[in-house]
Amino acid sequence: MHFKWNNESPTPEQRKASEDLGLKLGISPTLALILIKREINTESAAKRFFRPQLNDLINPFLMKDMDIAVDRLNDAMGRKERIMVYGDYDVDGCTAVALVYKFLQQFYSNIDYYIPNRYEEGYGVSHKGIDYAYQTGVKLIIILDCGIKAFDEIAYAKSLGIDFIICDHHVPDDILPDAVAILNPKRPDDTYPFKHLSGCGVGFKFMQAFAKNNGIQFSQLIPLLDFCAVSIAADLVPVTDENRILAYHGLKQLNKNPNIGLKAIIDICGLNNRELSMSDIIFKIGPRINASGRMENGRESVDLLVEKDLICALTAAKHINEYNELRKDIDKQMTEEANAIVERLESQERHSSIVLYDENWKKGVVGIVASRLTEIYIRPTIVLTRDNEFATGSARSVTGFDIYSAIKSCRDILVNFGGHTYAAGLTLKWDDVPEFRRRFQKYVDEHILPEQTEPILEIDATIDFKDITRKFHSDLKKFAPFGPCNAKPLFCTTGVYDFGTSKVVGREQEHIKLELVDSKSNNVMNGIAFGQSESARYIKSRHSFDIAYTIEDNIFKHNDVQLQIEDIRPSEDEEDWEE
């Protein structure tokens, strides 16, 4: 796939502002320009961006119902009531449960946790979970990363004398469940300044408020920040404002002294003795936490995350890693089947969205397949499977398109749905799937913009190889942690040539290992272009070409850099690939 490059030249005003800001900060004007493009325009804002401070976390009591939630938790502990911490079976839910349970367990012993079984209970609050709570004497349930639409279930719990505190971050309906307190910054009546916390982040704010109310030092929360970083990375929430603070300090904790369960996963992933990044969480740590919920029961992941003995944690991590290997096999097979269906449909008519369903697909993997199809076809995608008389599945979207609103437009034929702008889940009757597909695709056709279905690279700056100095790379690393709304800066260099030593590599000869020079310096730069072996012939032809890339540490050469090349195209004065 070759991309359209969005590479706007800076205005004269931006150039002047970047030079001034660069002088004040002691950084390259190029990096200062990237700050300005990200609306970080002043020296003080840049310093807050580069050095996020825990003191800048928002007062948790600004969140609506926080005082009520803390009072109810204090009452429960004062009356020695049994408390259950209940959460979703994905990474965000599991880390949220682990964080709240581990923190409260330091001060209170009559507490348990519960993760529903995806295959027996489905998403969110279940009657089975409430019945278990009632049978074990629970009087208060703290629910994390779900619950905002559990109207019937929370009413049922209330009839049994069980109260709920909801800690959620999914978009609520106009009417809210009858819970004691609902902590959700996306509530329309909530004036909390930051709206994009993860589910674990909302749980953290609850514990921050509880600690503040009870005279517990904030320092006792710091060891749990690694859970926040894992949830922020895995749930793909914006890495800005309060999330940036939590992710920054959570990564520090993950690298310095992670919780034992996370330490075991890091060991299983082979990530020891290197600095961990958000990408390591997304591609290595998160999938393993997710795996038990996808294949069996997410409680195993929470068991691991709250484990206190490293030997036991390593054993549990190996077991979860086996789930992940099994998940990868099923994922590969389902993706191949889904691709074949899309290609067959494409031969008939191209739609601006994809809705696929197969009664034999595994419920725990449909979300991954939806993500892969979205990346391949650059279109909003829903993948469904059958669960008795119902269809249940996951939706993923493309940049700028609100898939939650698209699903909501069909709510009259949905049994349940919930989620965010870019990811959602839904359930409907199996017989209604064709009608849902027709209406969903019609909504997307009418609302999506043409550029939202194009593969576009947003170039941050055009530079030459001589600009990539050791200091430039060191300053660039201060932009981390990266994620939505703070993407890793993407650079472009024009008129580059093969140094003569580039070669195709990989098990299936699918990648290119590059050694490049540009026309304005004698610097030889190492690079890797994953999955772009179709460009190798042109590169070896000695013609010049342009590259779009990120700048990475070369893990094999200390203090050296490597370009991770996202796209390659002929220079403007050269021939196209086909010619």
Side-chain angles (χ1 to χ4, degrees):
M1 178 192 300
H2 290 289
F3 295 81
K4 177 182 176 182
W5 296 11
N6 189 359
N7 187 14
E8 295 182 7
S9 298
T11 64
E13 293 78 15
Q14 285 178 323
R15 286 188 187 278
K16 179 67 169 63
S18 65
E19 289 170 3
D20 292 344
L21 184 59
L23 278 173
K24 291 174 182 175
L25 297 173
I27 64 174
S28 157
T30 298
L31 297 181
L33 177 64
I34 295 172
L35 289 175
I36 289 168
K37 285 183 175 180
R38 298 182 185 196
E39 299 183 353
I40 301 165
N41 301 303
T42 65
E43 183 180 3
S44 60
K47 287 180 176 176
R48 286 196 302 273
F49 176 78
F50 286 138
R51 294 191 291 274
Q53 300 295 313
L54 289 169
N55 288 337
D56 289 332
L57 288 172
I58 299 166
N59 179 353
F61 285 100
L62 293 179
M63 193 177 294
K64 189 167 182 62
D65 279 5
M66 186 63 81
D67 52 344
I68 300 171
V70 170
D71 286 347
R72 180 64 185 91
L73 178 56
N74 284 334
D75 287 346
M77 296 170 87
R79 294 197 289 257
K80 295 184 168 46
E81 293 177 350
R82 186 154 183 79
I83 299 170
M84 174 187 282
V85 185
Y86 190 122
D88 189 19
Y89 36 63
D90 68 359
V91 178
D92 195 12
C94 289
T95 52
V97 169
L99 185 151
V100 171
Y101 177 79
K102 279 178 73 79
F103 186 69
L104 291 180
Q105 197 188 34
Q106 299 174 80
F107 315 104
Y108 192 69
S109 60
N110 195 14
I111 185 169
D112 193 10
Y113 58 87
Y114 188 91
I115 303 291
N117 185 298
R118 182 193 299 259
Y119 296 96
E120 295 176 6
E121 299 165 75
Y123 170 79
V125 188
S126 71
H127 278 76
K128 180 179 178 180
I130 293 169
D131 288 341
Y132 173 79
Y134 178 70
Q135 291 159 11
T136 54
V138 168
K139 293 296 183 183
L140 174 65
I141 295 176
I142 301 169
I143 185 157
L144 297 137
D145 193 35
C146 54
I148 199 65
K149 293 189 175 184
F151 303 99
D152 295 341
E153 293 82 3
I154 288 174
Y156 173 61
K158 191 172 183 178
S159 73
L160 299 176
I162 301 171
D163 285 338
F164 263 81
I165 295 172
I166 298 173
C167 303
D168 205 349
H169 69 134
H170 296 97
V171 179
D173 275 340
D174 296 333
I175 301 171
L176 299 174
D178 188 16
V180 169
I182 299 175
L183 308 179
N184 186 334
K186 289 192 177 80
R187 285 177 61 166
D189 59 346
D190 195 333
T191 57
Y192 191 76
F194 184 64
K195 301 296 183 184
H196 303 293
L197 291 166
S198 65
C200 185
V202 177
F204 177 85
K205 298 305 295 186
F206 184 20
M207 293 302 95
Q208 183 188 1
F210 172 79
K212 191 171 186 177
N213 180 263
N214 286 280
I216 300 166
Q217 292 295 313
F218 180 83
S219 58
Q220 289 190 245
L221 281 162
I222 291 176
L224 300 170
L225 284 171
D226 51 6
F227 291 138
C228 288
V230 171
S231 78
I232 289 166
D235 220 52
L236 298 175
V237 291
V239 187
T240 57
D241 300 309
E242 191 160 40
N243 277 346
R244 180 171 174 83
I245 299 171
L246 294 172
Y248 179 89
H249 289 279
L251 275 175
K252 283 178 67 174
Q253 186 67 30
L254 193 67
N255 280 288
K256 179 182 174 185
N257 188 24
N259 275 281
I260 284 172
L262 290 173
K263 184 176 176 61
I265 297 172
I266 290 165
D267 184 79
I268 291 297
C269 293
L271 295 174
N272 289 319
N273 304 316
R274 54 171 285 191
E275 186 172 355
L276 301 174
S277 68
M278 299 291 268
S279 291
D280 292 316
I281 296 171
I282 293 169
F283 296 110
K284 299 286 187 179
I285 297 171
R288 285 163 173 81
I289 297 173
N290 254 336
S292 65
R294 292 192 187 282
M295 306 310 298
E296 292 292 338
N297 193 324
R299 183 182 172 98
E300 291 185 51
S301 287
V302 180
D303 291 344
L304 170 58
L305 294 177
V306 302
E307 179 57 63
K308 297 177 181 177
D309 180 85
L310 182 58
I311 302 301
C312 293
L314 286 168
T315 301
K318 288 175 183 174
H319 187 52
I320 280 175
N321 193 56
E322 291 169 3
Y323 282 144
N324 193 52
E325 292 302 312
L326 178 59
R327 186 273 306 168
K328 285 195 284 190
D329 290 340
I330 295 171
D331 161 17
K332 184 173 184 291
Q333 178 186 341
M334 283 175 53
T335 301
E336 288 173 355
E337 291 173 3
N339 260 322
I341 296 171
V342 175
E343 288 171 7
R344 189 166 65 249
L345 293 172
E346 291 287 282
S347 67
Q348 301 166 28
E349 183 182 358
R350 188 190 189 280
H351 291 279
S352 59
S353 63
I354 296 169
V355 180
L356 301 181
Y357 48 101
D358 187 301
E359 62 183 26
N360 296 314
W361 285 341
K362 193 168 180 67
K363 190 193 298 187
V365 185
V366 291
I368 298 175
V369 176
S371 294
R372 298 203 192 290
L373 295 177
T374 303
E375 291 170 9
I376 293 168
Y377 296 100
I378 326 291
R379 274 174 272 171
T381 299
I382 296 177
V383 179
L384 301 161
T385 188
R386 187 163 188 164
D387 185 6
N388 296 316
E389 72 269 30
F390 297 106
T392 182
S394 293
R396 299 291 183 269
S397 195
V398 294
T399 302
F401 183 78
D402 185 350
I403 203 165
Y404 178 85
S405 294
I407 293 169
K408 187 177 180 181
S409 72
C410 308
R411 66 180 307 159
D412 59 299
I413 56 171
L414 298 178
V415 174
N416 194 12
F417 72 101
H420 321 274
T421 300
Y422 293 119
L426 65 159
T427 301
L428 66 158
K429 290 181 179 177
W430 183 258
D431 291 343
D432 287 337
V433 170
E435 175 64 9
F436 169 79
R437 181 185 196 174
R438 184 190 67 78
R439 287 170 53 179
F440 175 82
Q441 290 184 329
K442 183 173 184 292
Y443 180 97
V444 177
D445 287 342
E446 292 172 352
H447 291 83
I448 201 163
L449 301 174
E451 58 267 28
Q452 290 173 335
T453 61
E454 292 181 35
I456 296 175
L457 291 180
E458 297 289 343
I459 307 294
D460 287 279
T462 298
I463 60 174
D464 300 320
F465 288 167
K466 62 181 171 56
D467 298 321
I468 307 174
T469 62
R470 189 167 293 180
K471 181 177 181 345
F472 184 92
H473 185 222
S474 175
D475 290 339
L476 177 62
K477 289 165 75 171
K478 295 175 185 175
F479 280 70
F482 300 115
C485 302
N486 184 46
K488 186 172 288 187
L490 188 64
F491 299 99
C492 161
T493 299
T494 60
V496 305
Y497 296 87
D498 175 29
F499 187 60
T501 48
S502 298
K503 59 184 178 181
V504 175
V505 296
R507 184 179 300 173
E508 298 178 13
Q509 300 285 284
E510 67 271 38
H511 315 308
I512 315 174
K513 189 176 186 302
L514 298 145
E515 288 189 333
L516 304 172
V517 292
D518 68 2
S519 55
K520 299 179 182 177
S521 70
N522 294 319
N523 295 16
V524 179
M525 297 298 302
N526 292 305
I528 183 74
F530 292 112
Q532 298 182 60
S533 58
E534 77 279 358
S535 301
R537 181 178 295 179
Y538 186 92
I539 289 168
K540 301 300 288 184
S541 71
R542 296 289 187 173
H543 288 94
S544 69
F545 50 95
D546 304 340
I547 55 172
Y549 57 90
T550 59
I551 301 172
E552 313 288 344
D553 285 316
N554 189 329
I555 60 174
F556 301 107
K557 294 183 179 179
H558 189 58
N559 289 332
D560 199 3
V561 301
Q562 175 173 270
L563 310 183
Q564 182 164 315
I565 296 167
E566 301 299 324
D567 198 24
I568 303 167
R569 69 182 188 187
S571 297
E572 286 187 1
D573 57 347
E574 297 285 359
E575 301 172 338
D576 285 336
W577 309 117
E578 293 81 12
E579 295 177 352

